[in-house]
Amino acid sequence: MNIREFNLPDDYAPTVKLWESIEAGVHVGRSDTPEEIQKKLKRDPDLFLVAELNGEIVGTVIGGYDGRRGMIYHLAVHKTLRERGVGAMLLDEVEKRLQAKGCVKCYLLVLADNENAIQFYENREWHEMKEVRIFGKEFS
C-alpha cells in the first residue's frame, strides 16, 4: 500500500470512479470537477491524498487548511479493502500533514445515517459537536 499525493489529471478518473462506488457518505458534486479540483491543488496539494495498491487507487482523503482551521472530507476506501487499515492510514497521514502546517483544530462532516463512518471517526478520537449546526449554500 502506498499513500501519495493526488496527481491531476492522471488520478482524476479513477478517483471519481472510486467516489461514485461508495454506497454512503461520498457524493460527487459540482465542486469535484477537474477545474474545481485544480483550485484545491493550487492551495494545498499536499492535503489531497490517495492510497494506491498494485497501481490502482483504492482510497482517498482530502484535507483543507485556511491558516486557522482544518477540514477533512472525501475519505473513501474501496469496499473490498475496508476494515483493513486503509482509511486509518489515510486519516493519520492527512492529520499529520495538517498539524505540520500549524493546524490545531479540524472539522469533518459525516452524514447522520452513515453509522459505519461515525463509528470509524469516534474510534479515532473525533467527537460529534452536537452544539453546532451546519449550514450550506451552493452558489450558481
Side-chain angles (χ1 to χ4, degrees):
M1 181 76 52
N2 180 39
I3 305 290
R4 63 172 177 79
E5 292 176 15
F6 177 88
N7 179 11
L8 187 69
D10 299 338
D11 294 336
Y12 183 76
T15 295
V16 170
K17 181 179 177 184
L18 172 67
W19 291 341
E20 290 173 339
S21 76
I22 302 300
E23 308 82 22
V26 177
H27 299 283
V28 178
R30 289 178 31 202
S31 63
D32 296 317
T33 64
E35 297 79 17
E36 294 299 310
I37 296 293
Q38 182 62 44
K39 291 178 190 176
K40 190 274 174 289
L41 294 175
K42 284 182 181 176
R43 183 172 181 90
D44 42 24
D46 56 320
L47 297 179
F48 189 159
L49 305 175
V50 297
E52 192 174 48
L53 181 64
N54 300 323
E56 235 180 278
I57 292 177
V58 296
T60 67
V61 67
I62 300 176
Y65 183 58
D66 67 6
R68 185 168 172 268
R69 297 283 190 256
M71 175 65 92
I72 295 174
Y73 52 99
H74 279 24
L75 177 62
V77 175
H78 192 277
K79 60 185 157 196
T80 62
L81 294 171
R82 293 189 192 138
E83 298 187 25
R84 297 171 88 187
V86 178
M89 287 175 24
L90 285 162
L91 185 61
D92 289 347
E93 183 62 25
V94 79
E95 286 181 14
K96 181 177 87 175
R97 290 175 182 221
L98 282 162
Q99 290 174 42
K101 289 179 176 290
C103 184
V104 297
K105 190 171 192 174
C106 189
Y107 304 110
L108 58 84
L109 305 176
V110 180
L111 295 175
D113 64 348
N114 193 344
E115 290 297 326
N116 290 335
I118 291 167
Q119 188 67 51
F120 173 83
Y121 290 117
E122 286 177 343
N123 288 342
R124 282 152 190 82
E125 299 181 12
W126 285 83
H127 307 282
E128 182 177 3
M129 300 173 63
K130 294 180 181 180
E131 69 281 1
V132 175
R133 292 179 56 192
I134 303 296
F135 292 81
K137 181 178 182 178
E138 284 205 29
F139 301 109
S140 52

